[in-house]
Amino acid sequence: MLTELTGFDHDVVAFKVSQQLTYEDMTSTLIPAIEQVLADHVCVRLWLQFSRDFTGFSLKALWSETCFNLLHLDDFSKIVVIADTKEMSAGIISLWTISACPFKVFALDQTEQARGWFTQVA
């Protein structure tokens, strides 16, 4: 499930991810939000905050995200992921290693540090 987070700049797509991330979440919420920002900006910054009750990705959602990422390798300028476990962090890192943009994973108790890194101008 995706919940949009507010209070970010206009070139940012920010969501809290809880329970399971489904194909429907990807195709009806996350991907359209990214494409909407890309309609007005050269690149998008992505903030994904995984809650403690996150249980995983559906296989179809994982495939959808992988395909989308491959098609949009140069469309992200910065990605931050906030996750609870080392396993989750490792999985996210493996998904985004093909992207050339800066990305960083923070623990759930490091939200302020994440925001500081995320808002730094490169």
CSV table of all heavy atoms in Angstrom, one decimal, residues 11-63:
chain,number,residue,atom,x,y,z
A,11,ASP,N,9.6,18.7,-7.5
A,11,ASP,CA,10.3,17.7,-8.3
A,11,ASP,C,10.4,16.4,-7.6
A,11,ASP,O,11.2,15.5,-8.0
A,11,ASP,CB,11.6,18.2,-8.8
A,11,ASP,CG,12.6,18.4,-7.7
A,11,ASP,OD1,12.2,18.7,-6.6
A,11,ASP,OD2,13.8,18.3,-8.0
A,12,VAL,N,9.7,16.2,-6.5
A,12,VAL,CA,9.9,15.0,-5.6
A,12,VAL,C,8.6,14.2,-5.6
A,12,VAL,O,7.5,14.7,-5.6
A,12,VAL,CB,10.2,15.4,-4.1
A,12,VAL,CG1,10.1,14.2,-3.2
A,12,VAL,CG2,11.5,16.2,-4.0
A,13,VAL,N,8.8,12.9,-5.7
A,13,VAL,CA,7.7,11.9,-5.5
A,13,VAL,C,8.0,11.2,-4.2
A,13,VAL,O,9.1,10.7,-4.1
A,13,VAL,CB,7.6,10.9,-6.7
A,13,VAL,CG1,6.7,9.8,-6.4
A,13,VAL,CG2,7.2,11.6,-8.0
A,14,ALA,N,7.1,11.3,-3.3
A,14,ALA,CA,7.4,10.7,-1.9
A,14,ALA,C,6.2,9.9,-1.5
A,14,ALA,O,5.1,10.4,-1.5
A,14,ALA,CB,7.7,11.9,-0.9
A,15,PHE,N,6.5,8.7,-1.1
A,15,PHE,CA,5.5,7.8,-0.6
A,15,PHE,C,6.0,7.0,0.6
A,15,PHE,O,7.2,6.7,0.8
A,15,PHE,CB,5.1,6.8,-1.6
A,15,PHE,CG,4.2,7.3,-2.7
A,15,PHE,CD1,4.8,7.7,-3.9
A,15,PHE,CD2,2.9,7.4,-2.5
A,15,PHE,CE1,4.0,8.2,-4.9
A,15,PHE,CE2,2.1,8.0,-3.5
A,15,PHE,CZ,2.6,8.4,-4.7
A,16,LYS,N,5.0,6.7,1.5
A,16,LYS,CA,5.3,5.7,2.6
A,16,LYS,C,4.7,4.4,2.1
A,16,LYS,O,3.6,4.4,1.5
A,16,LYS,CB,4.5,6.1,3.8
A,16,LYS,CG,4.8,5.2,5.0
A,16,LYS,CD,4.1,5.7,6.3
A,16,LYS,CE,4.5,4.8,7.4
A,16,LYS,NZ,3.9,5.3,8.7
A,17,VAL,N,5.5,3.3,2.2
A,17,VAL,CA,5.1,2.0,1.7
A,17,VAL,C,4.8,1.1,3.0
A,17,VAL,O,5.7,1.0,3.8
A,17,VAL,CB,6.2,1.4,0.9
A,17,VAL,CG1,5.8,0.1,0.3
A,17,VAL,CG2,6.7,2.4,-0.2
A,18,SER,N,3.6,0.6,3.0
A,18,SER,CA,3.3,-0.3,4.1
A,18,SER,C,2.6,-1.6,3.6
A,18,SER,O,2.2,-1.6,2.4
A,18,SER,CB,2.3,0.4,5.0
A,18,SER,OG,1.1,0.8,4.4
A,19,GLN,N,2.6,-2.5,4.4
A,19,GLN,CA,2.0,-3.9,4.1
A,19,GLN,C,2.7,-4.4,2.9
A,19,GLN,O,3.9,-4.5,2.9
A,19,GLN,CB,0.5,-3.8,4.0
A,19,GLN,CG,-0.2,-3.3,5.3
A,19,GLN,CD,-1.6,-3.0,5.1
A,19,GLN,OE1,-2.2,-3.0,4.0
A,19,GLN,NE2,-2.3,-2.8,6.3
A,20,GLN,N,2.0,-4.7,1.8
A,20,GLN,CA,2.6,-5.2,0.6
A,20,GLN,C,2.5,-4.2,-0.5
A,20,GLN,O,1.4,-3.6,-0.7
A,20,GLN,CB,1.9,-6.5,0.2
A,20,GLN,CG,2.6,-7.2,-1.0
A,20,GLN,CD,2.0,-8.5,-1.5
A,20,GLN,OE1,0.8,-8.5,-1.6
A,20,GLN,NE2,2.8,-9.5,-1.7
A,21,LEU,N,3.6,-4.1,-1.3
A,21,LEU,CA,3.5,-3.2,-2.5
A,21,LEU,C,3.1,-4.1,-3.6
A,21,LEU,O,3.7,-5.1,-4.0
A,21,LEU,CB,4.9,-2.6,-2.8
A,21,LEU,CG,5.0,-1.6,-3.9
A,21,LEU,CD1,4.1,-0.4,-3.6
A,21,LEU,CD2,6.4,-1.2,-4.2
A,22,THR,N,1.9,-3.7,-4.2
A,22,THR,CA,1.3,-4.6,-5.3
A,22,THR,C,1.5,-3.9,-6.7
A,22,THR,O,1.9,-2.8,-6.8
A,22,THR,CB,-0.2,-4.7,-5.0
A,22,THR,OG1,-0.8,-3.4,-5.2
A,22,THR,CG2,-0.5,-5.3,-3.6
A,23,TYR,N,1.2,-4.7,-7.7
A,23,TYR,CA,1.3,-4.3,-9.0
A,23,TYR,C,0.3,-3.1,-9.2
A,23,TYR,O,0.6,-2.1,-9.9
A,23,TYR,CB,0.9,-5.4,-10.0
A,23,TYR,CG,0.8,-5.0,-11.4
A,23,TYR,CD1,1.9,-4.8,-12.2
A,23,TYR,CD2,-0.5,-4.9,-12.0
A,23,TYR,CE1,1.8,-4.5,-13.5
A,23,TYR,CE2,-0.5,-4.5,-13.4
A,23,TYR,CZ,0.6,-4.3,-14.1
A,23,TYR,OH,0.5,-4.0,-15.4
A,24,GLU,N,-0.8,-3.2,-8.6
A,24,GLU,CA,-1.8,-2.1,-8.7
A,24,GLU,C,-1.3,-0.8,-8.1
A,24,GLU,O,-1.5,0.3,-8.6
A,24,GLU,CB,-3.1,-2.5,-8.0
A,24,GLU,CG,-3.9,-3.6,-8.8
A,24,GLU,CD,-3.3,-5.0,-8.7
A,24,GLU,OE1,-2.6,-5.2,-7.7
A,24,GLU,OE2,-3.5,-5.8,-9.6
A,25,ASP,N,-0.5,-0.9,-7.0
A,25,ASP,CA,0.1,0.3,-6.4
A,25,ASP,C,1.1,0.9,-7.4
A,25,ASP,O,1.1,2.1,-7.5
A,25,ASP,CB,0.9,-0.1,-5.1
A,25,ASP,CG,0.0,-0.6,-4.0
A,25,ASP,OD1,-1.1,-0.1,-3.8
A,25,ASP,OD2,0.5,-1.4,-3.2
A,26,MET,N,1.8,0.0,-8.0
A,26,MET,CA,2.8,0.5,-9.0
A,26,MET,C,2.2,1.2,-10.2
A,26,MET,O,2.5,2.3,-10.5
A,26,MET,CB,3.7,-0.6,-9.5
A,26,MET,CG,4.6,-1.3,-8.5
A,26,MET,SD,5.9,-0.1,-7.9
A,26,MET,CE,6.8,0.2,-9.4
A,27,THR,N,1.2,0.6,-10.8
A,27,THR,CA,0.6,1.1,-12.0
A,27,THR,C,-0.4,2.2,-11.8
A,27,THR,O,-0.6,3.0,-12.7
A,27,THR,CB,0.0,-0.1,-12.8
A,27,THR,OG1,-1.0,-0.7,-12.1
A,27,THR,CG2,1.1,-1.1,-13.3
A,28,SER,N,-1.1,2.2,-10.7
A,28,SER,CA,-2.1,3.2,-10.5
A,28,SER,C,-1.6,4.4,-9.7
A,28,SER,O,-2.3,5.4,-9.7
A,28,SER,CB,-3.4,2.6,-9.9
A,28,SER,OG,-3.1,2.2,-8.6
A,29,THR,N,-0.5,4.2,-8.9
A,29,THR,CA,-0.1,5.3,-8.0
A,29,THR,C,1.3,5.8,-8.3
A,29,THR,O,1.6,6.9,-8.6
A,29,THR,CB,-0.3,4.8,-6.6
A,29,THR,OG1,-1.6,4.4,-6.4
A,29,THR,CG2,0.0,6.0,-5.6
A,30,LEU,N,2.3,4.9,-8.1
A,30,LEU,CA,3.7,5.3,-8.1
A,30,LEU,C,4.2,5.7,-9.5
A,30,LEU,O,4.7,6.8,-9.7
A,30,LEU,CB,4.6,4.2,-7.6
A,30,LEU,CG,6.1,4.5,-7.5
A,30,LEU,CD1,6.3,5.7,-6.5
A,30,LEU,CD2,6.9,3.3,-7.0
A,31,ILE,N,4.0,4.9,-10.5
A,31,ILE,CA,4.4,5.2,-11.8
A,31,ILE,C,3.7,6.5,-12.4
A,31,ILE,O,4.4,7.3,-12.9
A,31,ILE,CB,4.3,4.0,-12.8
A,31,ILE,CG1,5.3,2.9,-12.4
A,31,ILE,CG2,4.4,4.4,-14.2
A,31,ILE,CD1,5.1,1.6,-13.1
A,32,PRO,N,2.4,6.6,-12.2
A,32,PRO,CA,1.8,7.8,-12.7
A,32,PRO,C,2.3,9.1,-12.0
A,32,PRO,O,2.5,10.1,-12.6
A,32,PRO,CB,0.3,7.6,-12.4
A,32,PRO,CG,0.1,6.2,-12.4
A,32,PRO,CD,1.4,5.6,-11.8
A,33,ALA,N,2.6,9.0,-10.7
A,33,ALA,CA,3.2,10.1,-9.9
A,33,ALA,C,4.5,10.5,-10.5
A,33,ALA,O,4.8,11.7,-10.7
A,33,ALA,CB,3.3,9.8,-8.5
A,34,ILE,N,5.3,9.5,-10.8
A,34,ILE,CA,6.7,9.8,-11.4
A,34,ILE,C,6.5,10.4,-12.8
A,34,ILE,O,7.2,11.4,-13.1
A,34,ILE,CB,7.5,8.5,-11.4
A,34,ILE,CG1,7.9,8.1,-10.0
A,34,ILE,CG2,8.8,8.7,-12.3
A,34,ILE,CD1,8.5,6.7,-9.9
A,35,GLU,N,5.6,9.9,-13.6
A,35,GLU,CA,5.4,10.4,-14.9
A,35,GLU,C,4.9,11.8,-14.9
A,35,GLU,O,5.2,12.6,-15.8
A,35,GLU,CB,4.6,9.4,-15.7
A,35,GLU,CG,5.3,8.1,-16.1
A,35,GLU,CD,4.4,7.1,-16.7
A,35,GLU,OE1,3.2,7.1,-16.6
A,35,GLU,OE2,5.0,6.2,-17.4
A,36,GLN,N,4.0,12.1,-13.9
A,36,GLN,CA,3.5,13.5,-13.8
A,36,GLN,C,4.6,14.5,-13.5
A,36,GLN,O,4.6,15.5,-14.1
A,36,GLN,CB,2.4,13.5,-12.7
A,36,GLN,CG,1.8,14.9,-12.6
A,36,GLN,CD,0.7,14.8,-11.5
A,36,GLN,OE1,0.4,13.8,-10.9
A,36,GLN,NE2,0.1,16.0,-11.3
A,37,VAL,N,5.5,14.1,-12.6
A,37,VAL,CA,6.6,15.0,-12.3
A,37,VAL,C,7.5,15.2,-13.6
A,37,VAL,O,8.0,16.3,-13.9
A,37,VAL,CB,7.4,14.5,-11.1
A,37,VAL,CG1,8.7,15.3,-11.0
A,37,VAL,CG2,6.6,14.7,-9.8
A,38,LEU,N,7.8,14.1,-14.2
A,38,LEU,CA,8.6,14.1,-15.4
A,38,LEU,C,8.0,14.9,-16.6
A,38,LEU,O,8.7,15.4,-17.5
A,38,LEU,CB,8.9,12.7,-15.9
A,38,LEU,CG,9.9,11.9,-15.0
A,38,LEU,CD1,10.0,10.5,-15.5
A,38,LEU,CD2,11.3,12.6,-15.0
A,39,ALA,N,6.7,15.1,-16.6
A,39,ALA,CA,6.1,15.9,-17.6
A,39,ALA,C,6.5,17.4,-17.5
A,39,ALA,O,6.5,18.1,-18.4
A,39,ALA,CB,4.6,15.8,-17.5
A,40,ASP,N,6.9,17.8,-16.2
A,40,ASP,CA,7.3,19.2,-16.0
A,40,ASP,C,8.8,19.4,-15.6
A,40,ASP,O,9.2,20.5,-15.5
A,40,ASP,CB,6.4,19.8,-14.8
A,40,ASP,CG,5.0,19.9,-15.2
A,40,ASP,OD1,4.7,20.1,-16.4
A,40,ASP,OD2,4.1,19.7,-14.3
A,41,HIS,N,9.5,18.3,-15.4
A,41,HIS,CA,10.9,18.4,-15.0
A,41,HIS,C,11.7,17.4,-15.7
A,41,HIS,O,11.2,16.3,-16.1
A,41,HIS,CB,11.0,18.1,-13.5
A,41,HIS,CG,10.2,19.0,-12.6
A,41,HIS,ND1,10.7,20.3,-12.3
A,41,HIS,CD2,9.0,18.9,-12.1
A,41,HIS,CE1,9.8,20.9,-11.5
A,41,HIS,NE2,8.7,20.1,-11.4
A,42,VAL,N,13.0,17.7,-15.9
A,42,VAL,CA,13.9,16.8,-16.6
A,42,VAL,C,14.1,15.5,-15.7
A,42,VAL,O,14.2,14.4,-16.3
A,42,VAL,CB,15.3,17.5,-16.8
A,42,VAL,CG1,16.3,16.6,-17.4
A,42,VAL,CG2,15.0,18.7,-17.7
A,43,CYS,N,14.2,15.7,-14.4
A,43,CYS,CA,14.5,14.5,-13.5
A,43,CYS,C,13.5,14.6,-12.3
A,43,CYS,O,13.0,15.7,-12.0
A,43,CYS,CB,15.9,14.6,-13.0
A,43,CYS,SG,17.1,14.2,-14.3
A,44,VAL,N,13.4,13.5,-11.7
A,44,VAL,CA,12.6,13.4,-10.5
A,44,VAL,C,13.4,12.9,-9.3
A,44,VAL,O,14.4,12.1,-9.5
A,44,VAL,CB,11.4,12.5,-10.7
A,44,VAL,CG1,11.8,11.1,-11.0
A,44,VAL,CG2,10.4,12.5,-9.5
A,45,ARG,N,13.2,13.4,-8.1
A,45,ARG,CA,13.8,12.9,-6.9
A,45,ARG,C,12.7,12.0,-6.3
A,45,ARG,O,11.6,12.3,-6.2
A,45,ARG,CB,14.2,14.0,-6.0
A,45,ARG,CG,15.4,14.8,-6.5
A,45,ARG,CD,15.9,15.8,-5.5
A,45,ARG,NE,14.9,16.9,-5.3
A,45,ARG,CZ,14.7,17.6,-4.2
A,45,ARG,NH1,15.5,17.4,-3.2
A,45,ARG,NH2,13.8,18.5,-4.2
A,46,LEU,N,13.2,10.8,-5.8
A,46,LEU,CA,12.3,9.8,-5.2
A,46,LEU,C,12.6,9.5,-3.8
A,46,LEU,O,13.7,9.3,-3.4
A,46,LEU,CB,12.4,8.5,-6.0
A,46,LEU,CG,11.5,7.3,-5.6
A,46,LEU,CD1,10.0,7.7,-5.8
A,46,LEU,CD2,11.8,6.1,-6.5
A,47,TRP,N,11.6,9.6,-2.9
A,47,TRP,CA,11.6,9.3,-1.5
A,47,TRP,C,10.7,8.2,-1.2
A,47,TRP,O,9.5,8.3,-1.4
A,47,TRP,CB,11.2,10.6,-0.7
A,47,TRP,CG,11.1,10.4,0.8
A,47,TRP,CD1,10.1,9.8,1.5
A,47,TRP,CD2,12.0,11.0,1.7
A,47,TRP,NE1,10.4,9.9,2.8
A,47,TRP,CE2,11.5,10.6,3.0
A,47,TRP,CE3,13.2,11.7,1.6
A,47,TRP,CZ2,12.2,11.0,4.2
A,47,TRP,CZ3,13.8,12.1,2.8
A,47,TRP,CH2,13.3,11.8,4.1
A,48,LEU,N,11.2,7.0,-0.8
A,48,LEU,CA,10.4,5.9,-0.4
A,48,LEU,C,10.7,5.5,1.1
A,48,LEU,O,11.8,5.2,1.4
A,48,LEU,CB,10.7,4.7,-1.3
A,48,LEU,CG,10.3,4.8,-2.7
A,48,LEU,CD1,10.8,3.6,-3.5
A,48,LEU,CD2,8.8,5.0,-2.9
A,49,GLN,N,9.7,5.6,1.9
A,49,GLN,CA,9.8,5.3,3.3
A,49,GLN,C,9.0,4.1,3.6
A,49,GLN,O,7.8,4.1,3.6
A,49,GLN,CB,9.3,6.5,4.1
A,49,GLN,CG,9.5,6.4,5.6
A,49,GLN,CD,9.1,7.8,6.2
A,49,GLN,OE1,9.2,8.8,5.6
A,49,GLN,NE2,8.8,7.7,7.5
A,50,PHE,N,9.7,3.0,3.9
A,50,PHE,CA,9.0,1.7,4.2
A,50,PHE,C,8.7,1.6,5.7
A,50,PHE,O,9.6,1.8,6.5
A,50,PHE,CB,9.9,0.6,3.8
A,50,PHE,CG,10.1,0.5,2.3
A,50,PHE,CD1,11.0,1.2,1.6
A,50,PHE,CD2,9.3,-0.4,1.5
A,50,PHE,CE1,11.2,1.1,0.2
A,50,PHE,CE2,9.4,-0.5,0.2
A,50,PHE,CZ,10.4,0.3,-0.5
A,51,SER,N,7.4,1.3,6.0
A,51,SER,CA,7.0,1.3,7.4
A,51,SER,C,7.4,-0.1,8.0
A,51,SER,O,7.8,-1.0,7.2
A,51,SER,CB,5.5,1.5,7.5
A,51,SER,OG,4.8,0.4,6.9
A,52,ARG,N,7.3,-0.2,9.3
A,52,ARG,CA,7.7,-1.4,10.0
A,52,ARG,C,6.8,-2.6,9.6
A,52,ARG,O,7.2,-3.8,9.7
A,52,ARG,CB,7.7,-1.2,11.5
A,52,ARG,CG,8.7,-0.3,12.0
A,52,ARG,CD,8.9,-0.3,13.5
A,52,ARG,NE,9.6,0.8,14.0
A,52,ARG,CZ,11.0,0.9,13.9
A,52,ARG,NH1,11.7,-0.1,13.4
A,52,ARG,NH2,11.6,1.9,14.4
A,53,ASP,N,5.6,-2.3,9.1
A,53,ASP,CA,4.6,-3.4,8.8
A,53,ASP,C,4.7,-3.8,7.3
A,53,ASP,O,3.9,-4.6,6.8
A,53,ASP,CB,3.2,-3.0,9.1
A,53,ASP,CG,2.6,-1.9,8.3
A,53,ASP,OD1,3.4,-1.3,7.5
A,53,ASP,OD2,1.4,-1.7,8.3
A,54,PHE,N,5.8,-3.3,6.6
A,54,PHE,CA,6.0,-3.7,5.2
A,54,PHE,C,6.3,-5.2,5.1
A,54,PHE,O,7.2,-5.6,5.8
A,54,PHE,CB,7.1,-2.8,4.6
A,54,PHE,CG,7.4,-3.2,3.2
A,54,PHE,CD1,6.5,-2.9,2.2
A,54,PHE,CD2,8.6,-3.9,2.9
A,54,PHE,CE1,6.8,-3.3,0.9
A,54,PHE,CE2,8.8,-4.2,1.5
A,54,PHE,CZ,7.9,-3.9,0.5
A,55,THR,N,5.6,-5.9,4.3
A,55,THR,CA,5.8,-7.3,4.2
A,55,THR,C,6.5,-7.7,2.9
A,55,THR,O,6.9,-8.9,2.8
A,55,THR,CB,4.4,-8.1,4.3
A,55,THR,OG1,3.6,-7.6,3.3
A,55,THR,CG2,3.8,-7.9,5.7
A,56,GLY,N,6.6,-6.8,1.9
A,56,GLY,CA,7.3,-7.2,0.7
A,56,GLY,C,6.6,-6.7,-0.6
A,56,GLY,O,5.5,-6.1,-0.5
A,57,PHE,N,7.2,-7.1,-1.7
A,57,PHE,CA,6.6,-6.7,-3.0
A,57,PHE,C,5.9,-8.0,-3.6
A,57,PHE,O,6.4,-9.1,-3.4
A,57,PHE,CB,7.8,-6.4,-4.0
A,57,PHE,CG,8.6,-5.2,-3.6
A,57,PHE,CD1,9.7,-5.3,-2.7
A,57,PHE,CD2,8.3,-4.0,-4.1
A,57,PHE,CE1,10.5,-4.3,-2.4
A,57,PHE,CE2,9.1,-2.9,-3.8
A,57,PHE,CZ,10.2,-3.0,-3.0
A,58,SER,N,4.8,-7.8,-4.3
A,58,SER,CA,4.3,-8.9,-5.0
A,58,SER,C,5.3,-9.1,-6.2
A,58,SER,O,6.0,-8.2,-6.6
A,58,SER,CB,2.9,-8.5,-5.5
A,58,SER,OG,2.9,-7.6,-6.6
A,59,LEU,N,5.3,-10.3,-6.7
A,59,LEU,CA,6.2,-10.6,-7.8
A,59,LEU,C,5.9,-9.7,-9.0
A,59,LEU,O,6.9,-9.2,-9.7
A,59,LEU,CB,6.1,-12.1,-8.2
A,59,LEU,CG,7.1,-12.5,-9.3
A,59,LEU,CD1,8.5,-12.3,-8.9
A,59,LEU,CD2,6.9,-14.0,-9.5
A,60,LYS,N,4.7,-9.5,-9.3
A,60,LYS,CA,4.3,-8.6,-10.4
A,60,LYS,C,4.7,-7.2,-10.2
A,60,LYS,O,5.1,-6.5,-11.2
A,60,LYS,CB,2.8,-8.7,-10.7
A,60,LYS,CG,2.3,-8.3,-12.0
A,60,LYS,CD,0.8,-8.7,-12.2
A,60,LYS,CE,0.3,-8.3,-13.6
A,60,LYS,NZ,-1.1,-8.5,-13.8
A,61,ALA,N,4.6,-6.7,-9.0
A,61,ALA,CA,5.1,-5.3,-8.7
A,61,ALA,C,6.6,-5.2,-8.8
A,61,ALA,O,7.1,-4.2,-9.4
A,61,ALA,CB,4.7,-5.0,-7.2
A,62,LEU,N,7.3,-6.2,-8.4
A,62,LEU,CA,8.8,-6.2,-8.5
A,62,LEU,C,9.2,-6.2,-10.0
A,62,LEU,O,10.1,-5.4,-10.4
A,62,LEU,CB,9.3,-7.4,-7.8
A,62,LEU,CG,10.8,-7.5,-7.6
A,62,LEU,CD1,11.3,-6.3,-6.8
A,62,LEU,CD2,11.2,-8.8,-6.9
A,63,TRP,N,8.5,-7.0,-10.8
A,63,TRP,CA,8.8,-7.0,-12.2
A,63,TRP,C,8.5,-5.6,-12.9
A,63,TRP,O,9.2,-5.1,-13.7
A,63,TRP,CB,8.1,-8.1,-12.9
A,63,TRP,CG,8.3,-8.1,-14.4
A,63,TRP,CD1,7.4,-7.9,-15.4
A,63,TRP,CD2,9.5,-8.5,-15.0
A,63,TRP,NE1,8.0,-8.0,-16.6
A,63,TRP,CE2,9.3,-8.4,-16.4
A,63,TRP,CE3,10.8,-8.8,-14.6
A,63,TRP,CZ2,10.3,-8.6,-17.4
A,63,TRP,CZ3,11.8,-9.1,-15.5
A,63,TRP,CH2,11.6,-9.0,-16.9
